[in-house]
Amino acid sequence: MADEREQLRYDPATIEKKWQERWAADPRLYAAEPATSDKPKYYVLEMLPYPSGQLHMGHVRNYAIGDALARQMWMRGYNVLHPMGWDAFGLPAENAALKNHTPPREWTLRNIADMKRQFERLGMGFDWATEVTTCLPEYYRWNQWFFLRMYEKGLAYRKKSKVNWCPECATVLANEQVIDGCCWRHEDTKVEQRDLVQWFFRITAYAEELLRGLETLEGWPEKVRTMQRNWIGRSEGTEVDFFLEEIQPGTGIRDQETEKQGTEKQGTTDQGAKGPERQRIRVFTTRVDTILGATSVQLAPEHPLVATFTAEDAELKAKVDELLEQQRSAREAGDLGAIEKHGVATGRFGINPYSGERVPIWVANYILMDYGTGAIMSVPAHDERDFEFATKYGIEIRQVIKPLTEGEDANALPFISEDGVLVNSGEYDGLTCAQAQKKLQEVATRGQFGEEKVIFRLKDWGVSRQRYWGTPIPMIYCERDGVVPVPEDQLPVLLPEKIEITQQGGSPLARVPEFVNTICPKCGGPAKRETDTMDTFVDSSWYFYRYTDAKNDKAPFDPAIVKYWFPIDQYIGGVEHAILHLIYSRFWTKVMRDLGLVKNDEPVERLFTQGMVIKDGAKMSKSKGNVVSPDEMVARYGADSARMYSLFAAPPDRDLDWQEDGVAGVSRFLARVYRLATKYSPLVPAGKGPIAEVPVGTSLKLLRKLHQTIAKITQDFEGRWHFNTDVAAIMELVNEIQAAESELDSGNVPSPVISALFRDLILLLAPFAPFLVAELWEQLGEQGAILRAPWPKSDPLLAREDEIEIPIQINGKLVAVIRVPADADAKAMEAAALADEKVKARIAGKAVIKVIVVTGRAVNLVVK
RNA sequence: GCGGAAGUGGUGAAAUGGCAAACACACCAGCCUUAGGAGCUGGCGCCCAAAAGGCUUGCGGGUUCAAGUCCCGCCUUCCGCACCA
């Protein structure tokens, strides 16, 4: 007995080492077939990792999910593309260089080698032949190529703009990299604003399409679609010009004419046509219907008009500067929303184009220059913010909307934001808000003082980074010819390798004369290269296309191959990429489509966002000190146990609470599988083939459970993906087999049944525990890879129960459970229910008013 | 404030509107032993000494023969967005 135990002892270290070596020697094992294959294709992709040095548990979970899916699809006969690569440019490599004087390239490539070994140790089924490493010229040259294409199309352009500057990184951050006013990498470092000339991608040109496209992405989580919708931030409204009341130069005296004109024109519709020479203040509003209630105009401190007001008014300038400073510090603190409203009256007036009414012009610290027009009309009666401001500064509050709901005294309310009918609005009185909006827009358009307008919160994508470790932007600046793109045949613009990384500001490439100094491709004269590099989100915006044709040195990829594989059938990754990476990727796909490179409008058919890995109530992180190392788990319990636990502990879309005892439990389970399968595997080959006799007794019981399990798991893979319950179902099956062990030993169960049981059990486990199943599959005498074996089919006749348990309720309360034949009809079920002793006792002397029978489900007696 | 998700035993969790707590972990009792991070048997939501019985899915209503599940209102937690005009 002891010897037997020892012999059947599960030793993952030995098994996993053996198979890891074999798999490494077989590069075709996980390779996709060419695009000419006649199998149905399946492209399953997990987000590529940044090569930080070590995989963490979040990676293990992410890739365990994807690998399970890939393996199951292989077994179902699909041509599966399951690639992996490295998001290898980025700041940590430079930080590491600073810290220990390792060149970024060396540091990065070493990390990649380490992490690749970890992947292999975990048994991940990636096709390494298509590996993509974004920091290599073979890849980033195509970033440059795309940049040039986008430049030609006007989609890449240069502009001076305020940028988020992280003093710690000494670089510009994208808006998305600013979290609560701080750098995304340095949570305690406040981001500053600086002016720099930057390269931008015109993602706003696709804003409308990116938004509309979300409607088609039914395979994406609603949460992600909502986040993108909010990010794009489409807002329908009206732009309207208030005319600037002119003053006599130098006198400060108002232009009486303007005022008079305006007053006279009240209620007419053509006053805007009068003077295109008149200065205007354009405001954006979603509530043009309230414009007759506008009692001031509010400008952002940075509004260009403000500078003209302050030019001759030092006192005003000082006040505006103060407002600007308040806004800046609030922005830097990340709590713009909490800023205390301050403002200053400019002493100037605007003219309402509809009424000719004079309204004062203010500058306010809560008005943002980078949204809308940087100017608003203020309607205190119908907007909370305007109400607050007007109350504070004693500006008139004039109600122009009468709410539809009666009863409430409108005058008692601070402000009314609800829908209603216009009042105090001259000829527009009586119109509903919607009617008024339409009408007022028409009037503005006709009068050329405004128009219907859709604006977006989405900004163009600033891609310049003053960093070394990124793709050089392929542009040249010539004193004579200006901005000149690097000719395509001179690509790639290589990133120089000999460079010292320092923490000094600006772009490190600017300190490499051999790089900077070049000749102008147009005139041949001396010129300088762009020294900024590209945002690393550029790299990850199209890498998944490169996988399909990773070795192509003539083009980023062959469109014909991409056409076969795209869109990606299933993309899996963390929800933290819901906006940045996933919106840029969608943008890039649309650009490539318009360049004629791809046919698909969207890159990803189905998206799955897995939950975080939590320990002791917090996300695993170094700062929290609750990190569990995959290497350690693998060393202790084996890769199969670590992987399977990460699937078993929670459904994949939820956060997972890491408990090491749970890993040990899964390991014990696998040990039982190993023991049972090893013990009975000698019986399996002999029993291969159809089951001749009709199974009865224990055989039937086990086969029934087996086929129910096959059905459950097969169905679950179709989209529900509750792998935790799939693993639980396999555990139940194994529990039943184990409970029948003495019967198996006694020879009462025919060998074809034993054979079917163990073959299918191993096949069912194949997506979850690749090492163990490889070993057991071999033990069964099988030669080929288990991935090439077909996924088991559930036989409905075998899965079917012939007797089922039916709960009997009286007035909705459970009183008994009876057994009836599975095919019992309503009549039979009712009769059986009424025949039950407990039921009889309960209904004795009472009237059964109604009997509800749900065939195969339940019986409920309504009794009085 | 707006939007999204969630709330079930000591813990992770399960449950096409039809027996709440499957499967595990932890714990308790026992067995075995070459004493192990091993294996086996049993117990394990709450109330009641036990049985019988009753109660139980954040709170309050509702729909239904029947609600963890659907609807309405509220509370709490997490995530995203936020004076966005």
Side-chain angles (χ1 to χ4, degrees):
Chain A
M1 187 64 194
D3 281 349
E4 190 203 35
R5 280 257 177 274
E6 195 55 38
Q7 221 177 35
L8 303 182
R9 191 193 185 89
Y10 173 50
D11 178 14
T14 308
I15 292 170
E16 294 182 1
K17 182 167 184 289
K18 166 182 160 185
W19 288 98
Q20 190 189 333
E21 281 167 9
R22 286 219 205 159
W23 292 338
D26 181 6
R28 286 188 324 188
L29 184 60
Y30 301 117
E33 292 175 22
T36 49
S37 168
D38 51 10
K39 286 183 185 173
K41 69 94 181 177
Y42 195 81
Y43 187 174
V44 53
L45 179 70
E46 298 103 66
M47 291 179 185
L48 85 179
Y50 177 79
S52 60
Q54 292 286 306
L55 291 179
H56 53 70
M57 277 304 169
H59 288 127
V60 173
R61 188 181 195 198
N62 189 176
Y63 302 122
I65 293 167
D67 200 40
L69 181 63
R71 285 172 188 276
Q72 208 253 358
M73 294 308 278
W74 265 309
M75 293 172 76
R76 284 175 58 189
Y78 283 80
N79 181 21
V80 176
L81 178 59
H82 189 218
M84 188 41 61
W86 311 95
D87 187 18
F89 271 137
L91 207 50
E94 284 179 68
N95 292 340
L98 266 174
K99 205 169 157 191
N100 37 36
H101 304 284
T102 321
R105 183 187 156 95
E106 193 185 313
W107 182 85
T108 303
L109 294 182
R110 201 176 53 217
N111 287 346
I112 288 172
D114 285 349
M115 289 169 76
K116 192 167 172 179
R117 207 183 49 233
Q118 283 184 298
F119 272 139
E120 290 179 338
R121 180 62 191 85
L122 284 163
M124 297 297 173
F126 298 129
D127 179 6
W128 291 109
T130 64
E131 181 178 4
V132 165
T133 304
T134 61
C135 67
L136 300 179
E138 298 88 88
Y139 183 78
Y140 72 67
R141 65 175 296 178
W142 301 112
N143 285 346
Q144 296 170 339
W145 185 87
F146 280 120
F147 193 102
L148 296 176
R149 296 288 85 76
M150 286 166 80
Y151 180 72
E152 286 164 10
K153 285 247 173 192
L155 290 170
Y157 68 97
R158 225 158 68 110
K159 73 173 178 193
K160 194 172 178 184
S161 87
K162 288 223 184 307
V163 293
N164 305 300
W165 179 269
C166 172
E168 194 74 26
C169 306
T171 192
V172 171
L173 303 175
N175 288 337
E176 301 89 316
Q177 293 168 330
V178 181
I179 295 153
D180 291 337
C182 294
C183 173
W184 69 322
R185 307 203 63 89
H186 302 95
E187 291 179 17
D188 301 320
T189 305
K190 294 265 197 276
V191 170
E192 299 166 6
Q193 304 293 307
R194 288 199 182 181
D195 260 329
L196 282 177
V197 176
Q198 306 279 309
W199 283 99
F200 284 82
F201 287 158
R202 209 179 295 279
I203 190 171
T204 53
Y206 290 86
E208 191 74 51
E209 200 196 336
L210 287 167
L211 183 69
R212 268 191 289 114
L214 291 173
E215 306 307 321
T216 69
L217 296 176
E218 282 161 16
W220 283 40
E222 191 52 44
K223 179 190 169 98
V224 173
R225 295 204 276 173
T226 303
M227 283 166 75
Q228 292 209 355
R229 213 171 280 130
N230 291 342
W231 190 257
I232 294 167
R234 186 179 193 272
S235 193
E236 284 181 8
T238 313
E239 282 191 358
V240 180
D241 294 330
F242 279 68
F243 299 103
L244 180 65
E245 187 187 63
E246 287 163 33
I247 52 172
Q248 306 290 350
T251 64
I253 299 166
R254 274 192 273 112
D255 173 5
Q256 298 296 324
E257 188 61 22
T258 308
E259 186 185 10
K260 221 171 112 205
Q261 262 187 11
T263 315
E264 281 168 0
K265 297 263 180 189
Q266 180 159 14
T268 65
T269 55
D270 65 345
Q271 64 269 61
K274 191 80 185 176
E277 76 283 354
R278 294 166 79 189
Q279 266 195 287
R280 300 162 178 231
I281 305 166
R282 176 151 285 217
V283 304
F284 175 78
T285 176
T286 55
R287 293 293 307 273
V288 72
D289 51 306
T290 65
I291 196 165
L292 281 309
T295 51
S296 69
V297 166
Q298 308 273 340
L299 303 180
E302 293 167 283
H303 195 285
L305 207 50
V306 174
T308 69
F309 295 167
T310 57
E312 293 177 5
D313 188 341
E315 202 183 328
L316 183 63
K317 183 166 190 332
K319 284 180 182 163
V320 167
D321 284 348
E322 211 176 304
L323 296 172
L324 189 59
E325 186 47 42
Q326 287 159 3
Q327 189 176 89
R328 268 189 190 161
S329 63
R331 199 191 284 270
E332 280 165 22
D335 55 356
L336 207 52
I339 193 171
E340 196 190 331
K341 289 184 183 58
H342 288 291
V344 59
T346 60
R348 303 290 298 267
F349 290 80
I351 308 297
N352 185 322
Y354 292 97
S355 64
E357 182 187 7
R358 289 174 78 225
V359 294
I361 298 171
W362 287 67
V363 179
N365 63 354
Y366 70 97
I367 308 299
L368 309 170
M369 193 56 223
D370 58 3
Y371 185 77
T373 59
I376 65 156
M377 62 177 201
S378 178
V379 186
H382 303 289
D383 182 281
E384 185 173 7
R385 297 155 299 177
D386 294 347
F387 178 80
E388 187 189 334
F389 193 87
T391 308
K392 180 168 179 175
Y393 288 102
I395 298 171
E396 186 197 345
I397 300 169
R398 186 195 307 153
Q399 184 183 344
V400 290
I401 305 291
K402 187 166 163 279
L404 296 169
T405 48
E406 295 294 333
E408 196 85 38
D409 178 8
N411 293 322
L413 297 170
F415 63 94
I416 302 150
S417 58
E418 62 188 295
D419 205 17
V421 175
L422 269 69
V423 293
N424 295 328
S425 298
E427 63 181 291
Y428 306 106
D429 280 358
L431 294 179
T432 65
C433 291
Q435 289 167 339
Q437 281 175 20
K438 201 158 174 252
K439 175 82 178 161
L440 289 158
Q441 279 171 352
E442 283 167 17
V443 170
T445 307
R446 208 165 335 123
Q448 294 181 16
F449 59 81
E451 60 193 322
E452 186 179 352
K453 186 88 177 183
V454 174
I455 65 168
F456 294 92
R457 209 186 70 103
L458 183 73
K459 306 273 187 304
D460 276 338
W461 174 14
V463 294
S464 293
R465 294 291 179 276
Q466 289 67 49
R467 303 303 321 178
Y468 162 68
W469 193 232
T471 304
I473 292 173
M475 285 289 165
I476 290 169
Y477 304 108
C478 170
E479 284 206 7
R480 192 193 310 186
D481 296 310
V483 180
V484 183
V486 173
E488 199 178 314
D489 60 11
Q490 288 178 25
L491 294 185
V493 178
L494 284 172
L495 193 59
E497 295 207 9
K498 280 188 182 161
I499 179 166
E500 197 181 338
I501 305 294
T502 70
Q503 205 147 20
Q504 287 160 15
S507 173
L509 290 179
R511 298 190 301 271
V512 185
E514 313 87 271
F515 177 84
V516 176
N517 297 315
T518 185
I519 51 164
C520 172
K522 262 191 186 163
C523 68
K528 295 199 183 301
R529 288 191 189 279
E530 168 66 64
T531 57
D532 285 353
T533 54
M534 295 183 206
D535 182 5
T536 56
F537 280 108
V538 170
D539 308 327
S540 54
S541 289
W542 69 280
Y543 74 101
F544 33 66
Y545 288 94
R546 183 69 179 172
Y547 282 140
T548 65
D549 194 14
K551 302 274 193 283
N552 196 328
D553 60 357
K554 303 280 187 293
F557 49 76
D558 177 347
I561 297 176
V562 160
K563 188 164 180 287
Y564 171 82
W565 286 109
F566 269 77
I568 294 162
D569 294 277
Q570 183 70 60
Y571 198 20
I572 304 165
V575 74
E576 65 272 18
H577 293 112
I579 301 175
L580 333 171
H581 164 55
L582 288 170
I583 217 164
Y584 294 148
S585 295
R586 295 182 58 222
F587 161 65
W588 207 278
T589 289
K590 290 172 194 303
V591 170
M592 292 199 304
R593 178 203 59 199
D594 292 348
L595 289 169
L597 295 170
V598 305
K599 300 283 183 209
N600 47 302
D601 292 322
E602 294 283 349
V604 175
E605 180 87 22
R606 285 172 55 95
L607 173 72
F608 188 90
T609 52
Q610 92 272 10
M612 288 186 300
V613 179
I614 302 287
K615 187 155 186 294
D616 308 324
K619 183 180 179 178
M620 278 191 191
S621 72
K622 274 183 196 160
S623 58
K624 296 253 166 47
N626 59 352
V627 173
V628 175
S629 139
D631 281 350
E632 200 185 318
M633 285 297 117
V634 167
R636 221 173 270 184
Y637 303 101
D640 283 338
S641 295
R643 292 176 56 154
M644 205 155 119
Y645 172 73
S646 79
L647 297 174
F648 175 61
D653 53 342
R654 277 217 239 161
D655 285 352
L656 181 154
D657 189 273
W658 193 270
Q659 297 183 10
E660 191 170 329
D661 285 335
V663 190
V666 169
S667 179
R668 286 198 293 269
F669 166 71
L670 292 178
R672 278 196 293 147
V673 172
Y674 180 81
R675 184 182 70 78
L676 288 166
T678 304
K679 179 176 168 188
Y680 294 104
S681 59
L683 300 175
V684 169
K688 220 172 145 180
I691 297 164
E693 314 146 53
V694 177
V696 290
T698 305
S699 297
L700 179 59
K701 194 167 166 254
L702 292 172
L703 286 173
R704 185 173 281 161
K705 185 71 179 173
L706 172 68
H707 283 268
Q708 289 170 350
T709 308
I710 296 170
K712 186 217 174 325
I713 297 175
T714 304
Q715 195 184 6
D716 204 74
F717 263 106
E718 288 295 334
R720 211 178 77 121
W721 283 21
H722 280 198
F723 298 133
N724 54 331
T725 63
D726 295 336
V727 173
I730 296 173
M731 286 174 170
E732 285 185 51
L733 174 62
V734 171
N735 289 348
E736 281 214 20
I737 294 173
Q738 190 176 334
E741 200 172 346
S742 60
E743 300 238 25
L744 296 184
D745 290 343
S746 72
N748 289 342
V749 177
S751 65
V753 173
I754 295 180
S755 177
L757 268 177
F758 282 95
R759 281 178 59 88
D760 287 352
L761 168 64
I762 292 164
L763 291 167
L764 287 173
L765 265 174
F768 310 112
F771 288 106
L772 177 62
V773 299
E775 180 71 12
L776 297 179
W777 195 242
E778 189 180 60
Q779 275 184 12
L780 297 187
E782 296 286 345
Q783 302 291 318
I786 193 167
L787 289 180
R788 310 284 177 243
W791 184 252
K793 264 207 168 63
S794 174
D795 180 340
L797 288 178
L798 279 172
R800 194 176 159 278
E801 296 281 354
D802 36 34
E803 236 188 10
I804 52 175
E805 290 190 333
I806 297 293
I808 310 299
Q809 295 170 309
I810 293 181
N811 293 337
K813 277 177 79 90
L814 179 77
V815 297
V817 177
I818 59 170
R819 294 189 67 86
V820 298
D823 54 3
D825 61 11
K827 247 185 199 159
M829 282 173 66
E830 180 177 341
L834 291 170
D836 184 81
E837 291 303 325
K838 271 190 190 164
V839 173
K840 277 187 190 165
R842 290 293 187 108
I843 61 176
K846 292 177 182 161
V848 178
I849 294 168
K850 200 173 171 189
V851 180
I852 292 104
V853 180
V854 184
T855 314
R857 276 288 175 201
V859 177
N860 193 4
L861 307 173
V862 184
V863 166
K864 208 157 120 188

